[in-house]
Amino acid sequence: MITATLHFQIHISSIIALQMFLLKTWRSTAFGVYGYLNFTKSGFLEHSKHFKPEDMQTRIEGKNCVVTGANSGIGYATAEGLASRGANVYMVCRNKERGEAALSKIRSTTGNQNVHLEVCDLSSVSKVKSFASKFASKEVPVHVLVNNAGLLENKRITTSEGFELNFAVNVLGTFAITESMVPLLEKAAPDARVITVSSGGMYTAPLTTDLQFSDEKFDGVEQYARNKRIQFMLQSGKLETNRKG
């Protein structure tokens, strides 16, 4: 009887393991196709065929735009694009030196001197709140908040506040800065917008309650995908949150 029970348990475990493997393989394959069509350069070029020329030339003088992770990549391109259209741009960067270099370049390229640097480490919720408090003292309405800053760290690193680093930056930091900016966004209503830069990689990971990735074999890529999935759900209002405290 004991042998039969053991065989049954092993058999069930094998089936579950196979199901998980097939699900993960299906997700990866689905992303391979869907991602290529929508989240690569080819996808952008295809979608850009439907862009309206007049929208691409819109001027936004007097609009205050906050862009996180603005010293390089998509964040830099976004900050530069907004500045070129006349916006007042606030570049939120973790590294002061890199931020200053990007700031100088954008001002020189666009001729817009209303571009400013704000230094903040999004891996720390306390630092995000401190930044938001100081920024609020400017008493400027925020018309656009672009949550671009992100991280993909392949090693498990725990922040001083006790959170896994990827999760701290991609989810907690992004959520904290958005929540902190709500009063300033409300001042710009009904024109206020919050844009969170996501990733097609989220399609490879389901929602999970294991936010800190407790698995012994840490996978930075999978954690990044999980983070982006949570970002999307929070942005779309599909996850309930407790805003007290």
Side-chain angles (χ1 to χ4, degrees):
M1 177 64 70
I2 294 176
T3 301
T5 301
L6 179 61
H7 286 170
F8 178 74
Q9 290 176 339
I10 292 176
H11 182 63
I12 292 297
S13 297
S14 298
I15 292 176
I16 294 175
L18 177 60
Q19 288 177 331
M20 295 301 294
F21 171 76
L22 291 175
L23 177 60
K24 192 169 184 178
T25 301
W26 176 83
R27 286 184 179 278
S28 297
T29 302
F31 167 68
V33 176
Y34 187 77
Y36 177 78
L37 295 175
N38 294 278
F39 300 102
T40 61
K41 182 177 180 180
S42 297
F44 170 77
L45 292 175
E46 180 62 30
H47 288 298
S48 67
K49 295 176 182 178
H50 305 288
F51 292 172
K52 297 179 180 179
E54 59 271 23
D55 290 343
M56 304 305 293
Q57 302 301 322
T58 299
R59 302 295 300 175
I60 49 176
E61 280 88 354
K63 301 296 184 181
N64 301 308
C65 305
V66 177
V67 183
T68 66
N71 63 280
S72 64
I74 294 174
Y76 177 87
T78 300
E80 183 180 44
L82 292 169
S84 70
R85 288 164 175 74
N88 302 320
V89 181
Y90 296 88
M91 303 168 61
V92 181
C93 304
R94 179 179 61 84
N95 186 286
K96 182 179 180 181
E97 290 71 27
R98 294 177 183 174
E100 288 177 338
L103 171 67
S104 178
K105 188 176 179 181
I106 289 178
R107 283 180 173 177
S108 176
T109 301
T110 66
N112 186 346
Q113 300 305 302
N114 293 318
V115 183
H116 314 279
L117 175 63
E118 304 288 340
V119 178
C120 179
D121 182 357
L122 264 68
S123 70
S124 168
V125 174
S126 63
K127 290 181 179 179
V128 170
K129 290 183 177 180
S130 177
F131 155 73
S133 178
K134 292 178 181 178
F135 191 86
S137 67
K138 300 179 188 295
E139 297 185 348
V140 296
V142 173
H143 297 87
V144 179
L145 169 62
V146 181
N147 289 315
N148 165 77
L151 177 73
L152 198 169
E153 172 56 57
N154 286 308
K155 295 181 180 179
R156 180 189 293 280
I157 297 176
T158 302
T159 69
S160 60
E161 296 175 340
F163 301 108
E164 189 279 315
L165 184 58
N166 290 289
F167 174 71
V169 174
N170 299 329
V171 179
L172 290 183
T174 296
F175 183 75
I177 197 169
T178 301
E179 287 288 285
S180 299
M181 287 286 174
V182 167
L184 300 180
L185 288 162
E186 290 177 337
K187 286 186 177 182
D191 296 331
R193 299 288 185 274
V194 176
I195 301 169
T196 300
V197 179
S198 190
S199 167
M202 72 174 187
Y203 290 105
T204 65
L207 280 173
T208 175
T209 57
D210 185 15
L211 304 180
Q212 303 286 350
F213 205 109
S214 60
D215 194 304
E216 292 183 3
K217 188 176 181 181
F218 183 77
D219 187 331
V221 174
E222 184 172 348
Q223 176 68 332
Y224 179 81
R226 291 181 180 183
N227 292 169
K228 289 300 180 179
R229 171 71 74 170
I230 296 171
Q231 268 189 358
F232 172 79
M233 298 299 285
L234 286 171
Q235 181 80 359
S236 60
K238 295 181 180 179
L239 289 182
E240 293 185 2
T241 58
N242 182 355
R243 298 186 178 182
K244 296 181 180 180

